[in-house]
Amino acid sequence: MYERIKLLRTEQLHMTQTEFGEALGVKRDVINNIENNRLKNPEKQEPIYRLMCEKFNVSEEWLRTGEGEMFVPLTKNQLITEFAADLVMEDNTFKKRLFEALAKLNESEWEVLEKLADSLIKKD
């Protein structure tokens, strides 16, 4: 499990031990001790393991056993929520301007847009 935690942090999240610890509310030393299997009472770290899974959408089965996928697949609503949260943080990007324009559409304009999208799909 300790190797998988380090793999998650470095290869997938590209975080330092300090950044990872801050995201979980612990100090870098705690993360260092976990990754190097230097815990005297590993069972006391159970809340951190559960928090890792929740915060980073990691499969608890993968974290504990190495079986299955590393990440739990996101639902459509979760994908949209994450995308929208990212948009809020962006400045004047095309994606943000596009979604601001879409947010202003009324129902009849949505219908026109849907017909346009349908016609573009049929052309392919």
Side-chain angles (χ1 to χ4, degrees):
M1 182 163 74
Y2 312 103
E3 293 170 357
R4 286 186 292 281
I5 291 170
K6 185 173 184 176
L7 176 73
L8 169 69
R9 177 184 63 79
T10 59
E11 300 296 319
Q12 296 297 316
L13 302 175
H14 308 288
M15 298 174 95
T16 65
Q17 287 181 337
T18 301
E19 292 167 334
F20 194 61
E22 286 173 357
L24 297 169
V26 297
K27 295 192 182 287
R28 184 200 69 80
D29 291 347
V30 173
I31 301 303
N32 188 38
N33 287 336
I34 289 171
E35 289 182 354
N36 290 296
N37 196 15
R38 290 192 301 232
L39 296 174
K40 293 179 182 172
N41 298 310
E43 66 279 355
K44 290 186 177 182
Q45 300 305 321
E46 285 298 317
I48 292 175
Y49 302 146
R50 285 192 297 277
L51 183 59
M52 280 179 202
C53 293
E54 181 182 316
K55 182 146 186 85
F56 300 112
N57 203 42
V58 173
S59 163
E60 191 167 342
E61 179 183 359
W62 176 84
L63 185 68
R64 293 181 185 284
T65 68
E67 295 178 14
E69 297 295 322
M70 182 184 291
F71 295 104
V72 176
L74 296 176
T75 66
K76 288 180 184 179
N77 283 345
Q78 288 171 317
L79 285 171
I80 292 168
T81 300
E82 282 192 11
F83 184 74
D86 289 344
L87 279 178
V88 170
M89 302 304 291
E90 292 184 17
D91 285 327
N92 195 24
T93 65
F94 170 73
K95 286 190 292 186
K96 187 167 187 172
R97 291 190 315 271
L98 175 62
F99 277 85
E100 287 171 349
L102 290 172
K104 295 176 185 176
L105 294 180
N106 62 38
E107 198 58 38
S108 65
E109 291 168 325
W110 275 106
E111 290 171 8
V112 170
L113 187 58
E114 183 178 17
K115 287 178 186 176
L116 174 63
D118 288 342
S119 70
L120 290 172
I121 292 168
K122 289 177 185 173
K123 286 182 183 179
D124 289 342

